[in-house]
Amino acid sequence: METAYIKSPLGITRLEGDEKGLSSIRVMDEFHDQLLTQTVPKVLEDVVSQLSDYFDGTRKGFQLKLNPQGTDFQKKVWTALQDIPYGKTISYLELSKTLGNVKAIRAVAAANGKNPLWIVIPCHRVVGSDGSLTGYAGGLSRKKWLLAHESPSQQQTLF
């Protein structure tokens, strides 16, 4: 397993993956800049490039080989998350309906919270039924930032 630490607008981001694909993206709460990766491992170069494009606003989707580890149910939820369009949100209830079991809403929410590939598998696009920014493993401030970053109605300057 290869690892890289890069800077992102959300903080220092830890990437893990190998030839089977990207397995983890984590934003670190505490980190020392001197530990940033100087040379990105070859298997993570495309990940770094696509994330950079996303944060620059020039990428709205990812074409990466993914290898998240989880249960079959979690993987089913994570696959469904990838169908949520950039700049859009859905509720946990809507996601449960998409998966064919409205009664599984708590299990769907739990699987969403275990997503190891933040941003690439867009769990931040799932909100409460009332539109509220409910739980996010990376913290609500990061979820708010990601949703604002993807918002089609960004504030324009007047001059």
Side-chain angles (χ1 to χ4, degrees), residues 20-154:
K20 294 178 186 173
L22 181 64
S23 59
S24 177
I25 298 174
R26 299 252 189 273
V27 179
M28 313 300 288
D29 288 321
E30 292 185 27
F31 194 84
H32 301 287
D33 281 354
Q34 64 266 29
L35 297 178
L36 285 171
T37 300
Q38 300 302 312
T39 304
V40 175
K42 185 139 184 79
V43 296
L44 296 174
E45 286 176 347
D46 201 29
V47 176
V48 171
S49 176
Q50 289 190 38
L51 281 172
S52 178
D53 292 346
Y54 169 84
F55 286 122
D56 288 345
T58 58
R59 175 174 291 280
K60 295 183 179 188
F62 296 92
Q63 287 77 45
L64 297 167
K65 190 175 183 181
L66 305 180
N67 188 26
Q69 301 303 303
T71 66
D72 288 343
F73 180 77
Q74 288 170 333
K75 289 178 181 180
K76 183 177 177 183
V77 172
W78 302 337
T79 297
L81 291 171
Q82 294 175 71
D83 293 333
I84 305 169
Y86 180 96
K88 303 289 183 191
T89 60
I90 67 169
S91 71
Y92 289 98
L93 180 60
E94 290 172 286
L95 184 56
S96 297
K97 287 178 183 176
T98 298
L99 292 165
N101 186 352
V102 70
K103 292 181 181 179
I105 190 168
R106 286 196 171 115
V108 167
N112 195 56
K114 297 284 186 186
N115 172 18
L117 294 173
W118 301 2
I119 305 162
V120 173
I121 296 179
C123 55
H124 60 277
R125 296 179 188 156
V126 184
V127 297
S129 292
D130 62 358
S132 62
L133 298 186
T134 58
Y136 186 62
L140 290 181
S141 63
R142 288 184 178 122
K143 182 172 185 165
K144 184 177 181 180
W145 188 95
L146 288 163
L147 292 174
H149 176 69
E150 294 182 2
S151 174
S153 59
Q154 300 262 337

